Amino acid sequence: MNLERVTVAGGGVLGSQIAYQSAFKGKTVIIYDINDEAIEQVKKRVNALRDQYKHDIQATDEQFDDGLSRLSFTTDLASAVADADLVIEAVPESPSIKHDLYHNLSAMAPERTIFASNSSTFVPSVYMEDTGRPDRFLNMHFANQIWMNNTAEIMGSPKTDPDVFAQIVRFAREIGMVPIELKKEQPGYVLNTLLIPLLNAGGYLWGNDIADPHTIDKTWMVGTGAPMGPFGILDVVGLRTCYNITKDQSGDNPQAQPFLAKVKEMLDEGKLGRESGEGFYHYPNPEFADPGFLKS
Ligand code: NAD
């Protein structure tokens, strides 16, 4: 089956990007969000993508408008999914919100509809029974700024039908993603299973005054040829998110405290990372992008 009619539930940071990218690549997309104010915010997020598509992937205004013409918005879940081939769920990472949504979707969506979760931390078996169709449910996990960072990590539960998995791999390619196929459930998928230990190690080295962020990044960049180091990556993730995740996961760990205290100090000074123009580096021209950075 071709997956042409897509509904994205939740038009936040990631949902708005997933929806627009799918429409940009020719899919007919509906974004569902909870109320009119939320929909106003979703529209703002989608419109803000125009400059990024033009700058980062040289899209023209006509191409961007063409994508917009295939995108619509609603606060009515039943009508949003009435004819959906695929529902991509991108609501907040809160179990109660996700459980409720899947219960509702299970009753409202046609039997043929596939559900895919963009959850960063929950494996699909957590929600599969809520969906009423565990064989047609899996995770498809995108990275922030999906028009550039175009991985789609695809992870089924033990009950996912292999044919559904294959359809999602094909869909991911059709919307311009590089499909990353996981053979079994893994919290953190492939990317975060690799990335989080790197970021934690950077935090440990800085938090314990072993080396400063620029030295740590320089070491990683010179030593491996990577285009940025852990602190350049943290500026993209955003320091608020970094603080909240570290506190959630390592709040009781004494080793994480010096790092948390330093990040808190930066947040209090308004240094939020790339989004505020300053974090570990200054933007739009971060120091690590200067060729001299690696030589000094
Ligand atoms: P967000 O807070 O930016 O957006 C959530 C959206 O869902 C908001 O528009 C909100 O109004 C809406 N919402 C709230 N309750 C809802 C409901 N009951 N039904 C429908 N919509 C509802 O969140 P986000 O950062 O876009 O994250 C969404 C999901 O994507 C999470 O599961 C997260 O793990 C995952 N994710 C996030 C990122 C990221 O970098 N932000 C990356 C990959 C995956």
Side-chain angles (χ1 to χ4, degrees):
M1 189 175 85
N2 272 352
L3 305 175
E4 297 301 331
R5 297 182 170 278
V6 180
T7 298
V8 176
V13 174
L14 254 283
S16 56
Q17 296 181 17
I18 296 164
Y20 183 74
Q21 176 70 17
S22 302
F24 183 69
K25 289 290 183 175
K27 305 295 178 185
T28 302
V29 182
I30 301 175
I31 302 187
Y32 160 75
D33 213 304
I34 32 172
N35 54 35
D36 291 341
E37 291 100 82
I39 290 287
E40 280 318 301
Q41 295 304 315
V42 178
K43 288 182 177 166
K44 278 192 197 149
R45 284 186 203 104
V46 169
N47 288 325
L49 296 175
R50 181 185 294 271
D51 286 346
Q52 291 177 281
Y53 272 66
K54 285 169 72 175
H55 177 266
D56 296 336
I57 59 168
Q58 287 73 51
T60 63
D61 280 312
E62 292 70 29
Q63 286 167 333
F64 192 84
D65 289 339
D66 192 41
L68 285 183
S69 72
R70 285 187 285 275
L71 189 61
S72 56
F73 305 86
T74 184
T75 56
D76 178 28
L77 185 59
S79 69
V81 301
D83 195 22
D85 299 324
L86 170 64
V87 175
I88 303 174
E89 172 272 303
V91 303
E93 199 70 339
S94 145
S96 64
I97 295 179
K98 289 197 198 277
H99 281 301
D100 282 355
L101 180 76
Y102 284 117
H103 275 296
N104 292 334
L105 283 174
S106 146
M108 291 174 182
E111 261 177 44
R112 66 181 166 84
T113 308
I114 295 173
F115 300 163
S117 174
N118 181 47
S119 173
S120 295
T121 54
F122 298 109
V123 296
S125 45
V126 174
Y127 299 107
M128 68 185 178
E129 298 306 341
D130 301 321
T131 67
R133 60 193 77 195
D135 57 325
R136 304 183 74 68
F137 174 60
L138 75 182
N139 281 16
M140 175 166 44
H141 183 240
F142 297 90
N144 199 0
Q145 305 197 315
I146 75 173
W147 57 95
M148 289 194 304
N149 303 331
N150 58 335
T151 50
E153 296 187 277
I154 302 167
M155 174 164 79
S157 79
K159 294 194 177 172
T160 306
D161 179 344
D163 183 53
V164 167
F165 192 97
Q167 287 182 56
I168 293 295
V169 169
R170 213 163 42 235
F171 172 83
R173 280 207 190 92
E174 286 167 2
I175 63 163
M177 299 296 114
V178 176
I180 309 294
E181 300 179 40
L182 277 79
K183 294 180 181 167
K184 50 169 102 161
E185 292 190 331
Q186 163 66 20
Y189 304 82
V190 174
L191 183 57
N192 282 340
T193 302
L194 293 167
L195 185 58
I196 304 293
L198 174 72
L199 300 182
N200 284 342
Y204 168 82
L205 289 169
W206 178 48
N208 289 285
D209 289 326
I210 294 160
D212 61 69
H214 288 202
T215 302
I216 295 165
D217 277 7
K218 198 188 312 178
T219 309
W220 186 250
M221 291 165 73
V222 175
T224 69
M228 64 171 81
F231 291 93
I233 296 172
L234 284 177
D235 274 352
V236 176
V237 171
L239 269 67
R240 209 172 353 195
T241 305
C242 155
Y243 182 79
N244 290 336
I245 294 178
T246 311
K247 206 152 185 261
D248 267 4
Q249 295 183 346
S250 319
D252 302 332
N253 179 351
Q255 285 210 338
Q257 300 314 312
F259 174 64
L260 275 170
K262 286 183 170 185
V263 175
K264 172 89 175 38
E265 212 171 287
M266 288 176 71
L267 289 175
D268 291 344
E269 290 166 9
K271 297 175 184 169
L272 309 183
R274 208 173 262 248
E275 64 173 285
S276 70
E278 186 176 352
F280 295 101
Y281 297 92
H282 298 83
Y283 296 89
N285 300 309
E287 293 83 340
F288 67 76
D290 184 327
F293 182 78
L294 299 180
K295 297 189 181 120
S296 60

